[in-house]
Amino acid sequence: MKIQSRAVHSGDRKKAGPQIPVSTPIYTASSYFYDTTEQLDQVFAFETPGYAYARYDNPTNSALEEVLTSLEGGRGTLATASGMAAIEIALRVATMTRPRAIVAADALYGATIKLLNQILEPLGFRIHYADFCDLAEVERAIARTQPGCLLMETISNPLLRVAPMDRIAELARAAGVALVVDNTFATPLLVRPLELGAHLSVNSLTKYLAGHGDVLGGSVTSDAEHYDALRATGRVTGPLLGPFEAYLAMRGVKTFPLRMERQCANAVEVAEWLGGHPKVERVHFPGGAAHPDAEAVRRLLPAGQFGAMVSFEIRAASRAEVFGFMDRLKMIVRATSLGDVHSMLLYPWMSSHRDVGPEQKARVGIRENLVRLSVGIEAVEDILADLDQAL
Ligand SMILES: Cc1ncc(COP(=O)(O)O)c(C=O)c1O
């Protein structure tokens, strides 16, 4: 071949040989070819396993999807470009053969509320909200609105309510309705929604699973009923995570249980300490003795592990005083997101719930003096010292 052709073809597409790399490499190839066209045809026909085109899947993503399925249970996982992409495809798949109506928990991440109200409703979906911590209200909403799907978070953002997912799954299955759960705050270390009867479990990989503040990603883990539709939709609409991000997420997942255990233990201490601080009016933490969902917490979360998010209200603080508190933090990172190795603090009124209407904020209980702390893996004394000097 001439240099122009050799520059394009040499070096690439070598057979892997007998060796096996200990960690999965980043496969950036956009397409794959085989010794014979017949083999490629069989891959396209799903008659033999293999890769054909990167919008369908690639070996780096498959490795990540395999480990996520092993953590969450279920038939299989689709890794997506963000947590929001995961929620969107999960809702579409859940309602593909069911009514285009969703009953959603009124306590949800702000962008999820926007997805429902500003994207799906204009597309013809009927959207209804209910207090998922009140089982009778969920039952009434199902009977009244005949939805195709229910949507909830395992531990809600930002007030950390824990709805009785196991009972809600029973209601959903009895009514032939799909249950989609956003498991981001709990992670599969604490709760595996599919084992409790949910149909699709979503994670923002950006948070605890990747855990280092350097990658955006999401995942949908599906039961057997929805898996083929999930993959088929993904192949056509193309929301897949890129292989670089899949590699980073996979690297994060390896230490995720270790990090999460430490973060949960730190959070117990932080919540207890905040509860005794004179400048703190109220602490929201599923491990707190006065938590309104104590029964569901006992049933659904492992003993002593309540997640690593702690929200609290600063006594009589105005917005300016909350900003002052945040500006004084020295180690805790004042930024949006959560679940990273470093502790992070965010003001839901300004960021995650900025565009949620005042009535919905009031109904859920998001007040102007509320901050949300994602407890990291640092030494807990340093987290407490930083909070103390800033308060
Ligand atoms: C509970 C929850 N679900 C989903 C998301 C969306 O994830 P991503 O930012 O990866 O799209 C977030 C983001 O903060 C979240 O808090």
Side-chain angles (χ1 to χ4, degrees):
M1 285 189 284
K2 300 237 185 294
I3 185 166
Q4 292 85 349
S5 309
R6 279 186 280 119
V8 172
H9 291 285
S10 299
D12 252 345
R13 302 183 290 272
K14 286 204 172 64
K15 284 230 161 77
Q19 74 282 1
I20 302 173
V22 294
S23 59
T24 304
I26 304 169
Y27 283 84
T28 58
S30 53
S31 49
Y32 298 81
F33 78 104
Y34 292 82
D35 286 337
T36 69
T37 308
E38 182 61 33
Q39 283 173 301
L40 179 60
D41 185 54
Q42 284 169 4
V43 171
F44 271 124
F46 304 109
E47 285 163 11
T48 51
Y51 299 92
Y53 188 49
R55 201 181 65 237
Y56 303 171
D57 47 15
N58 72 69
T60 316
N61 284 39
S62 295
L64 172 66
E65 288 164 348
E66 189 175 327
V67 67
L68 292 171
T69 306
S70 143
L71 298 177
E72 282 274 346
R75 164 73 180 80
T77 298
L78 179 75
T80 57
S82 69
M84 289 313 302
I87 295 172
E88 198 263 350
I89 193 170
L91 292 176
R92 257 182 311 122
V93 167
T95 51
M96 208 165 256
T97 57
R98 294 188 180 91
R100 290 187 133 206
I102 298 170
V103 173
D106 51 14
L108 288 173
Y109 171 51
T112 307
I113 296 173
K114 267 198 204 175
L115 168 68
L116 296 170
N117 296 350
Q118 296 177 16
I119 311 289
L120 295 180
E121 198 163 46
L123 284 173
F125 280 79
R126 284 184 289 120
I127 308 294
H128 307 276
Y129 291 95
D131 176 359
F132 272 45
C133 293
D134 180 344
L135 206 57
E137 190 176 323
V138 179
E139 197 166 8
R140 280 195 301 275
I142 293 173
R144 197 181 68 247
T145 67
Q146 300 290 310
C149 158
L150 307 183
L151 172 65
M152 62 177 289
E153 292 172 359
T154 312
I155 301 178
S156 76
N157 184 355
L159 287 172
L160 314 177
R161 297 293 303 268
V162 179
M165 189 197 300
D166 48 352
R167 308 277 193 263
I168 291 168
E170 283 168 15
L171 290 181
R173 287 191 178 262
V177 172
L179 174 61
V180 176
V181 174
D182 180 342
N183 202 33
T184 300
F185 275 32
T187 79
L189 183 73
L190 270 52
V191 178
R192 287 162 298 282
L194 298 182
E195 288 177 4
L196 297 175
H199 299 79
L200 295 147
S201 176
V202 168
N203 282 282
S204 166
L205 300 177
T206 318
K207 320 300 182 192
Y208 294 100
L209 286 157
H212 293 74
D214 55 6
V215 60
L216 195 76
S219 65
V220 186
T221 303
S222 172
D223 64 1
E225 182 189 344
H226 298 87
Y227 185 65
D228 289 346
L230 176 67
R231 285 237 81 99
T233 306
R235 276 195 297 275
V236 175
T237 59
L240 264 61
L241 189 64
F244 286 106
E245 288 77 10
Y247 164 81
L248 281 173
M250 175 112 187
R251 190 178 165 94
V253 165
K254 291 181 197 302
T255 56
F256 135 75
L258 211 56
R259 286 184 279 106
M260 190 67 185
E261 280 165 14
R262 166 72 174 241
Q263 285 170 274
C264 287
N266 277 354
V268 168
E269 289 198 45
V270 169
E272 206 173 290
W273 180 87
L274 284 168
H277 198 287
K279 291 269 175 62
V280 175
E281 188 178 327
R282 195 157 163 219
V283 179
H284 302 264
F285 182 61
H291 194 274
D293 311 315
E295 197 191 313
V297 168
R298 249 194 318 278
R299 230 179 30 249
L300 300 179
L301 301 184
Q305 289 183 323
F306 309 100
M309 302 299 296
V310 184
S311 296
F312 58 99
E313 294 169 36
I314 304 174
R315 193 175 297 283
S318 65
R319 180 186 167 92
E321 283 164 335
V322 172
F323 280 21
F325 160 74
M326 291 173 69
D327 287 346
R328 286 190 292 278
L329 291 169
K330 293 188 171 123
M331 181 190 79
I332 296 170
V333 180
R334 196 175 60 244
T336 195
S337 201
L338 62 115
D340 288 330
V341 284
H342 44 261
S343 294
M344 302 183 84
L345 191 128
L346 150 145
Y347 185 41
W349 199 275
M350 175 183 74
S351 48
S352 62
H353 291 71
R354 188 182 188 101
D355 299 325
V356 173
E359 327 77 55
Q360 189 156 358
K361 277 207 203 78
R363 197 168 62 241
V364 175
I366 301 170
R367 297 173 59 196
E368 218 169 345
N369 62 346
L370 178 84
V371 292
R372 193 194 78 188
L373 175 64
S374 165
V375 178
I377 65 167
E378 301 97 335
V380 72
E381 301 89 304
D382 291 326
I383 301 172
L384 299 184
D386 199 18
L387 288 171
D388 199 27
Q389 63 80 25
L391 280 167

